């Protein structure tokens, strides 16, 4: 959308906002720098980088309240679950809303008068039009330009290729549990330092939230980054496990769930297109506690 605006295909925006979790792959920060230098700055569009902290450091800090990642849980009784996804709200949506309020001239806790709002563009394509929703606050009004253009994800990719941005990386935390096996392999095979980072983080969160453990509320099970619920450096990211194959036998060959094992969650961690909560019976009520 930034490139479309800079080229005049879409109206010129006042600002572009990047919510930084503090733990994006190096390739994402490099790409963002390139966008700013080659596209945004020449077009006179400021890129504002906002943050609520470093999600990796916060998760491992016993003195810091942590908004949980959707970790895979193996309980003591063998049952599987997931921790509730709170990270998108804390590390992406919250800092974006804070910046929008500042741009409007009404920082929290000031009340924003009726009729004062920003038009916010959300990059949802026709493939995921069901995720196109109105904003949940009156001072933001969502618009979905890619849907207005009738663009699919393929159309967007083709456009990026045409302007030399074919290497655009997917923005998500380096250690996001929603990665598919292809993404985990890519990190392992192309960036040894980042792979070591996520392997160490995976081991560090095995017992759950550092703050919950410090306060005497340990996780009643074990937490993992990979859906197989084994340590990441031992996870079957090069092949489909027997359990995964058995699950696939109950799904159509082209099912989205089966494809997620390899490619990850398509929607990823877009601030305004969360995939939503996992099934209620599988979700832990809190990162540090099991139900």
């Amino acid at each position: 959308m930034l490139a479309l605006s800079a080229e005049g295909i879409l109206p010129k925006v006042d600002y572009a906002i990047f919510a930084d979790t503090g733990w994006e792959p190096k390739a994402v920060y490099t790409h963002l720098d390139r966008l700013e230098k080659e596209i945004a700055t020449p077009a006179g569009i400021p890129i504002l980088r906002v943050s609520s902290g470093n999600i990796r450091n916060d998760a491992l800090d016993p003195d810091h309240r942590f908004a949980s990642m959707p970790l895979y849980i193996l309980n003591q009784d063998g049952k599987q679950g997931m921790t509730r996804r709170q990270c998108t709200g804390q590390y992406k949506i919250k800092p974006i809303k804070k910046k929008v309020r500042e741009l409007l001239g009404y920082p929290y806790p000031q009340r924003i008068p009726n009729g004062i709002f920003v038009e916010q563009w959300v990059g949802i394509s026709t493939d995921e039009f069901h995720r196109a929703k109105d904003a949940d606050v009156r001072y933001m009004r969502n618009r979905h330009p890619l849907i207005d253009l009738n663009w699919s994800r393929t159309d967007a990719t083709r456009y990026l290729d045409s302007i030399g941005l074919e290497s655009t990386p997917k923005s998500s935390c380096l250690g996001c549990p929603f990665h598919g096996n292809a993404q985990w392999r890519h990190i392992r095979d192309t960036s040894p330092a980042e792979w070591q980072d996520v392997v160490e983080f995976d081991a560090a969160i095995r017992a759950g939230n550092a703050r919950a453990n410090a306060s005497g509320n340990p996780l009643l099970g074990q937490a993992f980054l990979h859906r197989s619920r084994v340590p990441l450096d031992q996870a079957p990211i090069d092949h489909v496990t027997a359990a995964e194959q058995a699950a696939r036998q109950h799904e159509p060959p082209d099912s989205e769930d089966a494809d997620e094992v390899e490619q990850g969650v398509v929607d990823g961690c877009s601030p305004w297109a969360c995939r939503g909560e996992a099934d209620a019976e599988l979700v832990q009520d809190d990162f540090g506690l099991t139900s």
Side-chain angles (χ1 to χ4, degrees):
M1 292 188 302
L2 174 61
L4 289 169
S5 176
E7 284 200 326
I9 299 173
L10 291 174
K12 183 180 176 181
V13 294
D14 297 301
Y15 302 96
I17 300 180
F18 175 76
D20 185 5
T21 65
W23 200 29
E24 296 275 345
K26 181 180 179 180
V28 170
Y29 294 116
T30 300
H31 180 72
L32 182 62
D33 290 341
R34 181 187 174 193
L35 285 179
E36 186 168 34
K37 179 181 178 181
E38 298 180 10
I39 294 178
T41 298
I45 302 173
I47 293 181
L48 308 179
R49 307 187 190 205
V50 299
S51 177
S52 288
N54 184 299
I55 190 172
R56 185 195 193 284
N57 295 344
D58 292 348
L60 303 180
D61 183 355
D63 296 322
H64 194 285
R65 180 189 178 279
F66 176 62
S68 71
M69 302 166 67
L71 300 173
Y72 296 96
I73 301 300
L74 183 63
N75 287 304
Q76 292 176 342
D77 60 4
K79 291 183 178 180
Q80 298 181 349
M82 288 190 75
T83 52
R84 196 173 296 277
R85 177 180 180 172
Q86 300 172 322
C87 47
T88 300
Q90 175 66 26
Y91 290 92
K92 294 195 173 184
I93 295 176
K94 181 178 178 179
I96 289 174
K97 287 183 173 178
K98 179 181 179 181
K99 176 55 67 175
V100 167
R101 278 180 154 272
E102 292 174 359
L103 294 173
L104 289 174
Y106 296 92
Y108 184 81
Q110 293 186 44
R111 180 181 177 277
I112 300 178
N114 291 336
I116 302 296
F117 64 92
V118 299
E119 179 179 276
Q120 175 180 244
W121 292 5
V122 183
I124 294 175
S125 63
T126 55
D127 308 81
E128 48 193 16
F129 71 93
H130 57 286
R131 300 187 186 278
K133 302 175 182 178
D134 293 332
D136 60 354
V137 289
R138 289 182 300 178
Y139 60 87
M140 303 170 78
R141 296 187 183 179
N142 288 350
R143 180 183 167 191
H144 306 88
L146 299 184
I147 292 179
D148 294 341
L149 292 172
N150 198 32
W151 275 25
S152 65
R153 185 181 297 269
T154 299
D155 293 321
T157 300
R158 186 181 299 115
Y159 170 69
L160 290 172
D161 291 348
S162 73
I163 60 174
L165 295 177
E166 63 279 351
S167 60
T168 298
K170 182 177 181 180
S171 176
S172 64
C173 286
L174 188 63
C176 179
F178 284 158
H179 286 341
N181 287 339
Q183 292 159 294
W184 288 124
R185 288 196 303 273
H186 179 76
I187 297 172
R188 181 196 64 189
D189 298 341
T190 65
S191 183
E194 291 185 324
W195 176 248
Q196 184 64 29
D197 185 14
V198 292
V199 167
E200 291 176 356
F201 179 80
D202 174 70
I205 52 86
R206 190 75 69 240
N209 187 338
R211 183 176 180 181
N213 290 327
S215 63
N217 295 299
L219 183 70
L220 305 181
Q222 293 184 310
F224 301 86
L225 289 183
H226 192 267
R227 66 181 65 219
S228 63
R229 294 172 174 81
V230 300
L232 185 58
D233 57 353
Q234 301 172 33
I237 64 176
D238 288 304
H239 63 277
V240 178
T241 66
E244 290 169 344
Q245 184 61 44
R248 287 188 179 193
Q249 292 175 358
H250 299 288
E251 300 287 347
D254 60 347
S255 75
E256 181 179 351
D257 289 341
D259 193 53
E260 277 188 12
V261 174
E262 177 66 11
Q263 299 301 330
V265 176
V266 173
D267 306 301
C269 291
S270 168
W272 311 105
C274 287
R275 104 173 187 168
E277 301 291 349
D279 294 337
E281 66 271 20
L282 296 179
V283 179
Q284 310 298 345
D285 287 336
D286 184 84
F287 183 26
L289 301 171
T290 54
S291 55

